[in-house]
Amino acid sequence: MTTSTSNLYVLLLGKFMSLFASSLFTFVAGLTVLTTSGSGLQFALVLLAGTLPRVLLSPFAGAYADKLNRKRVIITMESLNGLLFFLAGAASLIWTFGVPAFLIITCLLSIVSTFLSVTLTSSIPLLFDEDGLQRANSLIQSIISVSSIGTPLLAGALFKLLPISAFLFSSSLLFLIAALFASRLTFQAYEHVSTDQSTWDDVRSGFRYLKRQRVLWTLTILAAFLNFFFVASEVLFPIAALQQIGVSPLQFGFLESMFAVGFLVAYLPTRCRSLRSSIV
């Protein structure tokens, strides 16, 4: 088995474990807040706690990814997530979690996952040769879709049967398994870019470069505009489904998974056309 093929299996398995663990907690946290408090504002705050750190820290995560050992960062971030959920699971056995606890856990998860996802995504060209890069990216997107479909269904089915501690310990175990998979990744040799600039200067230079590229800057503004409305739908849909319509957690999980099914169905024709063009 070649290094590229070995990296592909290890990366896909680790990515699936990490995504499943993160999505499992995110789904259960939102569902718990809505069903216990009944407050749309508190539910929106939990979503904000997961979104705001990504927005603020992603540029800094990219700067650090260029300076640090990427494999070590990936393993450390996966392990930190595992430790976070283990401690949260132990705490849930002693105290009853309310909205503040979910806010703190969601915020910490978002901070660690931001550095993890940015570093992992930027490391993909160092894990595969040019011929396997397109295949790897395609399979990663498939793994993301499968996780997005399966997680709400499983969590919705088990939500009434298991305590919150069971979900937290499960996520902890999945993150630790993902860390073990990450330790098996083999990176191609690359040179660290030595620079005397501070991290803040690196971020500023990155923004200046982005603004000079009109196409990239336009896409950035468009993405921010579209995500504003997409996040609004993420807040309103669970409130309408659980409070106004009165669906069960299993039914809500099924509805959530249908969004991922829709993205997957829309993505497949594009992927098929891309494969045909590359063959031709």
Side-chain angles (χ1 to χ4, degrees):
M1 183 182 296
T2 63
T3 300
S4 183
T5 303
S6 175
N7 278 338
L8 181 61
Y9 292 137
V10 171
L11 178 64
L12 291 178
L13 288 172
K15 183 76 173 178
F16 179 78
M17 295 292 180
S18 184
L19 280 174
F20 200 90
S22 179
S23 300
L24 184 66
F25 169 76
T26 302
F27 181 87
V28 172
L31 199 57
T32 302
V33 169
L34 264 181
T35 54
T36 55
S37 69
S39 171
L41 175 60
Q42 292 181 351
F43 175 70
L45 288 176
V46 173
L47 290 181
L48 181 63
T51 304
L52 191 59
R54 291 182 180 274
V55 175
L56 298 178
L57 296 178
S58 289
F60 296 94
Y64 278 111
D66 291 334
K67 296 180 178 181
L68 303 177
N69 184 294
R70 300 188 183 188
K71 181 176 180 179
R72 190 174 301 167
V73 171
I74 294 170
I75 296 173
T76 301
M77 295 301 107
E78 296 280 21
S79 301
L80 281 177
N81 274 333
L83 178 61
L84 168 65
F85 280 97
F86 178 80
L87 295 176
S92 68
L93 298 176
I94 303 174
W95 299 289
T96 300
F97 277 7
V99 175
F102 286 113
L103 284 172
I104 293 172
I105 298 172
T106 302
C107 184
L108 292 175
L109 171 64
S110 180
I111 292 172
V112 177
S113 296
T114 297
F115 285 87
L116 171 63
S117 61
V118 171
T119 304
L120 184 59
T121 301
S122 64
S123 300
I124 291 177
L126 302 175
L127 296 172
F128 305 98
D129 52 34
E130 188 174 350
D131 295 332
L133 191 59
Q134 185 178 9
R135 178 170 177 247
N137 283 321
S138 176
L139 290 175
I140 288 172
Q141 292 302 317
S142 300
I143 286 293
I144 294 174
S145 297
V146 170
S147 176
S148 299
I149 294 170
T151 306
L153 287 174
L154 180 62
L158 299 177
F159 180 73
K160 292 291 187 180
L161 302 177
L162 298 177
I164 186 65
S165 58
F167 292 104
L168 294 171
F169 283 126
S170 297
S171 293
S172 174
L173 178 61
L174 290 172
F175 275 122
L176 292 177
I177 294 175
L180 290 176
F181 279 119
S183 67
R184 305 293 297 175
L185 291 173
T186 302
F187 283 70
Q188 299 174 13
Y190 68 98
E191 294 183 2
H192 289 281
V193 179
S194 58
T195 176
D196 296 330
Q197 291 189 121
S198 65
T199 302
W200 178 248
D201 289 332
D202 288 338
V203 172
R204 291 175 60 188
S205 63
F207 273 113
R208 286 195 295 267
Y209 172 80
L210 185 64
K211 292 186 71 174
R212 288 196 299 267
Q213 305 297 317
R214 295 184 61 85
V215 175
L216 292 178
W217 183 249
T218 302
L219 289 175
T220 301
I221 299 299
L222 179 62
F225 181 77
L226 292 176
N227 275 289
F228 176 81
F229 294 99
F230 183 75
V231 171
S233 68
E234 281 190 330
V235 175
L236 295 175
F237 174 72
I239 295 174
L242 292 168
Q243 295 184 349
Q244 303 300 323
I245 302 176
V247 300
S248 66
L250 177 59
Q251 291 170 329
F252 177 67
F254 178 78
L255 292 174
E256 283 282 313
S257 67
M258 287 301 102
F259 283 104
V261 171
F263 281 118
L264 182 61
V265 171
Y267 169 76
L268 286 177
T270 304
R271 174 57 185 159
C272 291
R273 286 195 296 269
S274 176
L275 285 175
R276 283 200 297 267
S277 63
S278 63
I279 293 175
V280 173

